Amino acid sequence: MKNGQIWQDIEGNHIQAHGGCIIEHRGTYYWYGEHKGAPNCPGKERVDVIGVSCYSSPDLLSWKYEGLVLSADQENPSSPLHTSRVLERPKVVYHEKNHCFILWMHLDSEDYTYAGAGIAVSGTPTGPFVFQGVSQPNRQDARDMTVFVDEDGTAYLVHSKDWNKTLNIARLNADYTAPDGMYVSVMADQEREAPALCRHNGLYYMVTSGCTGWQPNSALYATSSHIMGRWKLIDNPCEGENYRQTFGGQSACIFRAGNRHFLMLDHWIPDNLQKSGYSILPIEFGPDGSMTVRWKSEWRGIEKSTSD
C-alpha cells in the first residue's frame, strides 16, 4: 500500500478508519476508526457521523471490513451519537481481566463547545459495542485523545483540554471505564493534540501534533521516565521528504507488532474527508533514548517490515 494515500480493503473498497488505532488480539490485528464514507456536508469540512468502523487483518496489509462496531443515532437529535454531532479519535483497548474491549472517543456538539469523552464496551473485538455514556473527565474538556495501557495493566486516558492548549493524563479505574480522579496536566500552553503513546526500555514516549486544524504541521515527541511525571518536549522525530509537515500527515496512534513499534498517520483531505489517506511507518529508538520516524513510500505489512 502506498503511504499517504487512501487504502483499500480486500473487497476493493476504501478503508474508512480515520483518527483511529490498531490493536492485536489473539494473532489478529484490529483497526478501528472514524467511518467518513460520505461526501462532506455542503460548505463544511465535516461529514455527518456514521460511526466507528472495524477492520481485521492477519498481516496488517490485507484488511477485511467487519462493519460498524458503533453506529450513529439517526433518529434522536439529542443523542450524543446523533449524525449531526462529532465523533472523533476512537481508541480501543482490551481489558485482560474482564475479557472485554473498551472504546473511548471524543464526542462533541457540532460547534465543538462541549468536548466530552464517550465510552462503549463489547465482549468481542468486532462488536457491537454498547454505548455507556459521555462525560467530561475530571470535569475538564476532552478533545483529541488516546488510551494507553501500561505494562502493569493500568490504563490512562490522554486528552487535550483548554481548547487544546494543554494535555491531561488521567488514570482510569480498574475497569477502564472512568477516570479514578488521579490526573496530571502536561505540556501546559504548548497547544499539542493528536497524542500517541508507547513505552520502550522503561521510557515513555508521546508523539503529538500542533494545532493547525486539518493542515499538517511539525510533529514533536516528548519523553518521561514516569507516565504521570514531568514530560520533556524533545524534537521532531521525522526524517525524510516533507518531514517538517510530518510527511503531510498527523499522528493517529502508535501500535506494537512483533518486536517493533509503528506510527500511524492520517493524511487529511479537508474538503473530501472520505478520501483521506494513511501511512504506517516504523519507529526507531536510539541508545540515547531518541526516537526517529523515517519516511517510507510503501507499507508492506508486518512480515517484511519487522525484519527490515
Side-chain angles (χ1 to χ4, degrees):
M1 293 183 178
K2 298 295 184 182
N3 276 331
Q5 300 180 15
I6 187 71
W7 293 349
Q8 295 181 339
D9 64 18
I10 59 175
E11 300 293 332
N13 299 312
H14 288 163
I15 293 176
Q16 295 293 334
H18 310 279
C21 69
I22 291 175
I23 67 171
E24 184 273 334
H25 182 69
R26 296 179 180 173
T28 298
Y29 296 94
Y30 296 93
W31 181 2
Y32 304 89
E34 306 162 33
H35 198 301
K36 292 187 178 295
N40 281 32
C41 298
K44 297 182 179 180
E45 295 179 342
R46 71 178 302 273
V47 173
D48 278 345
V49 177
I50 297 172
V52 178
S53 55
C54 175
Y55 295 80
S56 64
S57 174
D59 57 8
L60 291 164
L61 189 64
S62 302
W63 292 99
K64 175 187 176 183
Y65 181 50
E66 299 287 355
L68 292 176
V69 296
L70 184 69
S71 298
D73 187 332
Q74 301 182 29
E75 305 296 332
N76 181 9
S78 64
S79 169
L81 298 176
H82 189 255
T83 55
S84 66
R85 302 205 175 193
V86 171
L87 190 163
E88 296 176 337
R89 301 279 161 177
K91 309 297 179 187
V92 175
V93 292
Y94 180 62
H95 197 294
E96 292 280 356
K97 292 182 179 179
N98 293 347
H99 306 291
C100 65
F101 297 82
I102 314 295
L103 165 63
W104 282 82
M105 70 209 107
H106 168 209
L107 294 179
D108 217 325
S109 52
E110 185 178 351
D111 61 2
Y112 284 89
T113 57
Y114 173 64
I119 307 163
V121 179
S122 173
T124 66
T126 56
F129 281 72
V130 179
F131 184 59
Q132 305 292 304
V134 59
S135 64
Q136 292 186 314
N138 299 301
R139 299 182 180 180
Q140 299 184 56
D141 58 318
R143 301 178 190 277
D144 277 14
M145 64 178 59
T146 193
V147 180
F148 174 75
V149 179
D150 209 344
E151 294 173 358
D152 64 359
T154 305
Y156 301 85
L157 174 68
V158 183
H159 64 92
S160 54
K161 68 161 191 169
D162 297 339
W163 290 93
N164 295 327
K165 290 185 181 298
T166 300
L167 287 168
N168 264 12
I169 301 176
R171 194 173 66 189
L172 299 179
N173 64 12
D175 294 329
Y176 302 174
T177 55
D180 72 355
M182 180 68 71
Y183 72 92
V184 294
S185 297
V186 300
M187 301 182 210
D189 296 322
Q190 293 297 315
E191 296 190 343
R192 308 303 299 175
E193 63 180 7
L197 275 75
C198 68
R199 183 177 179 178
H200 177 75
N201 285 348
L203 194 63
Y204 298 90
Y205 295 80
M206 187 191 314
V207 175
T208 57
S209 161
C211 297
T212 55
W214 297 109
Q215 303 306 316
N217 56 66
S218 178
L220 292 177
Y221 79 96
T223 62
S224 178
S225 58
H226 190 284
I227 191 169
M228 300 189 79
R230 180 179 177 272
W231 285 80
K232 181 181 179 181
L233 277 171
I234 306 295
D235 203 349
N236 183 348
C238 301
E239 290 186 3
E241 184 179 355
N242 204 20
Y243 78 98
R244 289 185 182 274
Q245 280 73 45
T246 317
F247 317 119
Q250 183 186 40
S251 48
C253 73
I254 295 175
F255 66 91
R256 188 180 180 94
N259 61 354
R260 298 288 299 273
H261 284 92
F262 297 88
L263 175 66
M264 170 171 273
L265 303 177
D266 290 297
H267 294 263
W268 300 110
I269 302 177
D271 60 355
N272 192 7
L273 287 167
Q274 64 180 328
K275 294 294 183 68
S276 299
Y278 314 97
S279 290
I280 295 178
L281 300 166
I283 297 173
E284 300 173 19
F285 299 98
D288 58 351
S290 62
M291 167 188 276
T292 303
V293 180
R294 292 186 173 89
W295 174 251
K296 292 190 175 185
S297 61
E298 188 175 11
W299 170 244
R300 296 180 294 159
I302 184 61
E303 292 185 4
K304 294 182 179 179
S305 291
T306 53
S307 61
D308 284 349

